[in-house]
Amino acid sequence: MQKAFTLVQITDPHLHATQEGTLLGMNTENSLKLIVDQIRQEVSDIDLIIATGDIAQDSSVQAYKNFLRFIDPLNAPMRWIPGNHDSRANMTEAVQGLDHAEPVYVLGDWVVVMLDSIVPERVYGNLAKDQLDILEQALSQYPDKYILVTLHHHPISMHSRWIDQIGVRNRDALTDLLKQHSNVRAVVCGHVHQESDELVNGVRFMSTPSTCVQFKPKSQDFGIDSLGPGFRKLILNPDGTIDTTVSRIEGVDFEIDYSQKGY
Ligand SMILES: [Fe+2]
C-alpha cells in the first residue's frame, strides 16, 4: 500500500553548551524545548526529523549533545546538516557511531537528500563538488522516486539585500542539476529565520522559521522580527505532492534584543 510520510523540519536552534545561552537576547534552549513540546502536541508518528543547520551557536560538542537530548522525546529518526555556525568535526564527535549525517534517506517512493552547504569561517554558503555529486548520484540512482532536497543556506533570492549576500554562492550549479530532473519536488532550507514558499523556474523552494529568533522578511538591512519561534511539518504524499504547514509558538513573551545590528 502506498503511504504518506511525515517529516518535521527543525532549523537554526543556535544552542549553546550552557543553559543560559542566547541569540539576540532570546534563550535558545528554552525556545527549542517549547518547540519540541508543540511538535509533540501537533504531530504524531514522525517518520523523519530533518535538522537543517545552525544546530549550535557556539559549535561545542556539548551543544550537539544537548540537541540530541532535547529532541529525544519526539522519538523519531533524525538527519542533520551543518549551518554556518556549526562545526562538522564537533557534530561528528557528538554522534559517534550514529548515522545522523548520512545524506540520503529513502522513505518509500521518496528520497530525502541533505546537502552540506557550509564554507568554513564564512556566513555565506556554497555547494562543493562532493555535495553536487551526492545529489547527482541520488538523482541517477532513484529516477522513479520523488526527491526532496534540503540544505542550510537558501539557494534563491529572499528579496532582502543583506540576506541575499549570505545565500548559496553557486546556486546556478544546483539550478542546472534540478532542471534536468523533474522528480525533484522541493528544496527546503533554513538559515534565513523566516517562512517562505515560492516557485522558482518550476521548482518549489521553502524556508522555515528558526526555533529561536526570527529575521524580518524582505528587509534591505539586518532586521529582527517579532514573530515567534517555529517549525515546519511536511507530508510527502505517494502521488509526489507535498502538504506543508508552519507552526509557531503563540502567546509567549520572548525576550529579544532589538538593538543588535547583526548576528
Ligand atoms: Fe541561523
Side-chain angles (χ1 to χ4, degrees):
M1 197 181 78
Q2 287 190 311
K3 176 184 177 330
F5 294 92
T6 303
L7 267 59
V8 164
Q9 183 191 9
I10 294 176
T11 196
D12 296 81
H14 289 263
L15 292 175
H16 297 254
T18 60
Q19 209 181 349
E20 300 76 37
T22 59
L23 179 68
L24 301 165
M26 189 185 290
N27 184 295
T28 56
E29 178 171 320
N30 178 36
S31 63
L32 176 61
K33 285 178 172 170
L34 290 170
I35 285 287
V36 169
D37 286 347
Q38 189 151 326
I39 294 171
R40 290 182 74 188
Q41 286 166 27
E42 291 184 5
V43 192
S44 53
D45 297 327
I46 302 168
D47 291 295
L48 181 67
I49 298 164
I50 50 173
T52 47
D54 283 359
I55 310 294
Q57 172 71 10
D58 64 5
S59 71
S60 65
V61 173
Q62 185 57 50
Y64 299 118
K65 289 184 175 170
N66 292 346
F67 179 75
L68 298 172
R69 197 170 80 247
F70 299 152
I71 64 159
D72 193 53
L74 297 176
N75 209 8
M78 184 274 287
R79 289 290 181 274
W80 67 10
I81 40 176
N84 47 298
H85 287 275
D86 289 312
S87 153
R88 282 186 190 121
N90 287 352
M91 287 171 82
T92 305
E93 192 178 329
V95 295
Q96 269 178 20
L98 301 172
D99 50 7
H100 294 305
E102 280 295 314
V104 178
Y105 198 95
V106 179
L107 286 162
D109 292 332
W110 282 84
V111 180
V112 180
V113 183
M114 301 190 68
L115 303 176
D116 178 340
S117 58
I118 67 168
V119 180
E121 311 296 323
R122 294 287 178 270
V123 180
Y124 63 80
N126 189 71
L127 285 166
K129 186 174 181 306
D130 66 329
Q131 299 301 309
L132 293 166
D133 287 350
I134 288 170
L135 179 57
E136 196 159 17
Q137 212 209 311
L139 289 166
S140 58
Q141 192 177 347
Y142 301 106
D144 301 325
K145 292 188 187 287
Y146 303 113
I147 312 281
L148 181 77
V149 178
T150 77
L151 70 173
H152 178 67
H153 296 82
H154 48 296
I156 56 163
S157 168
M158 296 299 294
H159 318 291
S160 166
R161 189 177 55 201
W162 80 274
I163 285 180
D164 285 347
Q165 288 166 4
I166 58 170
V168 176
R169 288 275 164 102
N170 63 336
R171 60 186 63 164
D172 291 350
L174 178 64
T175 311
D176 288 347
L177 211 47
L178 299 183
K179 258 192 225 156
Q180 300 162 32
H181 300 271
S182 57
N183 54 333
V184 177
R185 305 319 294 229
V187 179
V188 176
C189 70
H191 192 45
V192 297
H193 294 223
Q194 61 193 269
E195 178 187 359
S196 68
D197 190 343
E198 203 181 336
L199 209 59
V200 180
N201 299 324
V203 180
R204 189 177 183 184
F205 290 87
M206 289 177 251
S207 67
T208 298
S210 159
T211 64
C212 59
V213 72
Q214 311 302 315
F215 300 145
K216 225 177 197 20
K218 300 191 172 128
S219 172
Q220 291 312 296
D221 300 312
F222 178 80
I224 301 171
D225 206 349
S226 59
L227 287 172
F231 71 93
R232 182 182 290 278
K233 179 171 89 167
L234 297 134
I235 308 287
L236 309 182
N237 294 310
D239 65 355
T241 59
I242 299 173
D243 297 318
T244 184
T245 47
V246 165
S247 294
R248 292 183 190 266
I249 294 171
E250 311 282 354
V252 176
D253 214 359
F254 292 98
E255 195 170 321
I256 301 174
D257 180 0
Y258 290 101
S259 68
Q260 301 214 27
K261 296 285 171 260
Y263 87 116

